[in-house]
Amino acid sequence: MDIQKIGVVGAGQMGNGIAHVLAVAGYDVLLNDLDADALEKALATIDKNLERQVSRGKLAEADKAAALSRITTTLDLPELGQTDLVIESATERESVKQAIFETLVPHLEPHTILTSNTSSISITRLASGTDRPEKFMGFHFMNPVPIMQLVELIRGIATDKETYDACLKVVEKLGKTAASAEDFPAFIVNRILMPMINEAVYTLYEGVGNVNSIDQSMKLGANHPMGPLELADFIGLDTCLAIMNVLHDGLADTKYRPCPLLTKYVEAGWLGRKTGRGFYDYRGETPVPTR
Ligand code: NAD
């Protein structure tokens, strides 16, 4: 099947990156959010990020203009029913995602493929609430989307081959690389990454190290490009906590229990970069550790 028009639900940090790369690759993008400010901010971010690619000689000015012209925004979710593929990238909460698919289903074209960029929630369970579990799968981008090479493609129990192949073609057209994962909690990347981040928070919680020493240890001692706490702030501490809860509930193993300190930061609304404060305070010139 030929995919040309793609709907993206959620214009947050992931949704805007997804819209960006799809538009650059030549797809028509319809970007939805329930918050008009989020849509406006997303367009400004896409513009800024495209401009950065132009200034680095990675994109021609005309291609930037063409990409921007391919992105349309809407507050009306049912409008996305007219697209060939929907990539849902709203807040990492199952009830939010289920409500989105429930609203969309009556308006979908028969051929429309539904996907979710969820970091951890069961694809099979999300699919079962729709009219087309065979045309439903996980389409998991990494953050920041324009830079990261990998896309995890996750088959639900009912996903058919045609759907998988159509999504694989999109990944290839984006110039990215797909890794196929089975539908178990948090799939591959986050199954391995999140327990490490959670362990870093435990290391902080127990006073084994402070924010600086933990991040420096993993950068210089394990050759990670970012420290785990810096990375957690980048991902969003609410998203990290949500993923740990999915691992804990889904695999029923206490080794996945979220660190109470991670919960406390989320309760405080210190969600990382996106709210200006997390394990670091980003409100000044340079990030300052908060512990
Ligand atoms: P975010 O908080 O930056 O953005 C979420 C957006 O969804 C917000 O703009 C919000 O207004 C919107 N939204 C909420 N409910 C909605 C609804 N009913 N309809 C339309 N829009 C709605 O979050 P994010 O980091 O962009 O994460 C989005 C998804 O991507 C999550 O499922 C997350 O797990 C996944 N993801 C995140 C990362 C990461 O590093 N942050 C990486 C890979 C995947």
Side-chain angles (χ1 to χ4, degrees):
M1 77 161 290
D2 194 28
I3 289 175
Q4 181 48 41
K5 191 163 185 190
I6 303 183
V8 178
V9 185
Q13 54 177 342
M14 293 304 289
N16 81 60
I18 295 168
H20 171 140
V21 297
L22 291 173
V24 169
Y27 292 107
D28 295 322
V29 181
L30 189 51
L31 179 61
N32 161 265
D33 203 290
L34 40 69
D35 176 0
D37 286 349
L39 288 174
E40 212 169 291
K41 240 173 87 187
L43 284 180
T45 305
I46 294 168
D47 192 316
K48 188 185 78 198
N49 290 340
L50 286 168
E51 189 52 45
R52 188 176 307 140
Q53 289 181 305
V54 171
S55 67
R56 290 185 181 160
K58 292 189 171 154
L59 193 73
E61 187 69 52
D63 291 339
K64 175 194 163 188
L68 281 175
S69 74
R70 286 187 204 107
I71 303 174
T72 314
T73 60
T74 178
L75 289 166
D76 185 29
L77 181 59
E79 263 189 60
L80 274 65
Q82 300 302 309
T83 61
D84 305 314
L85 166 69
V86 173
I87 303 177
E88 174 281 314
S89 188
T91 310
E92 184 73 350
R93 201 170 312 131
E94 190 159 339
S95 56
V96 169
K97 295 183 185 296
Q98 268 164 352
I100 287 169
F101 290 119
E102 206 172 293
T103 305
L104 261 175
V105 159
H107 305 277
L108 293 175
E109 293 287 333
H111 72 276
T112 306
I113 291 176
L114 293 178
T115 67
S116 175
N117 181 42
T118 176
S119 305
S120 60
I121 298 168
S122 165
I123 296 302
T124 301
R125 210 162 52 230
L126 288 176
S128 71
T130 74
D131 62 341
R132 58 193 69 200
E134 71 289 350
K135 287 190 182 304
F136 193 110
M137 59 183 282
F139 206 126
H140 184 218
F141 288 87
M142 308 294 131
N143 186 16
V145 181
I147 291 169
M148 299 296 280
Q149 184 61 26
L150 188 78
V151 177
E152 269 182 300
L153 289 181
I154 305 116
R155 282 190 191 86
I157 203 164
T159 310
D160 65 21
K161 186 171 181 319
E162 200 188 357
T163 300
Y164 185 87
D165 290 347
C167 289
L168 181 60
K169 245 169 128 177
V170 174
V171 174
E172 284 167 354
K173 193 165 164 190
L174 297 179
K176 295 194 183 288
T177 306
S180 177
E182 291 302 315
D183 183 26
F184 289 100
F187 322 125
I188 296 173
V189 174
N190 284 314
R191 170 77 178 262
I192 298 169
L193 178 65
M194 278 306 151
M196 189 215 44
I197 286 178
N198 193 49
E199 201 59 30
V201 185
Y202 267 112
T203 311
L204 180 67
Y205 175 64
E206 291 168 8
V208 182
N210 60 26
V211 169
N212 265 337
S213 61
I214 292 167
D215 275 351
Q216 203 172 52
S217 297
M218 294 309 286
K219 281 197 282 190
L220 303 182
N223 222 11
H224 289 191
M226 281 173 111
L229 300 172
E230 195 186 356
L231 179 58
D233 276 358
F234 186 70
I235 293 168
L237 303 191
D238 53 339
T239 300
C240 293
L241 180 61
I243 297 170
M244 285 312 298
N245 280 323
V246 166
L247 282 168
H248 193 221
D249 296 345
L251 297 168
D253 189 328
T254 55
K255 78 177 175 181
Y256 298 113
R257 70 210 182 286
C259 178
L261 185 61
L262 180 60
T263 307
K264 200 191 285 282
Y265 269 75
V266 173
E267 284 170 349
W270 294 13
L271 307 183
R273 277 186 181 270
K274 64 183 170 187
T275 57
R277 202 168 4 176
F279 292 114
Y280 295 84
D281 187 334
Y282 300 92
R283 293 169 302 168
E285 289 269 296
T286 49
V288 179
T290 53
R291 277 179 105 81

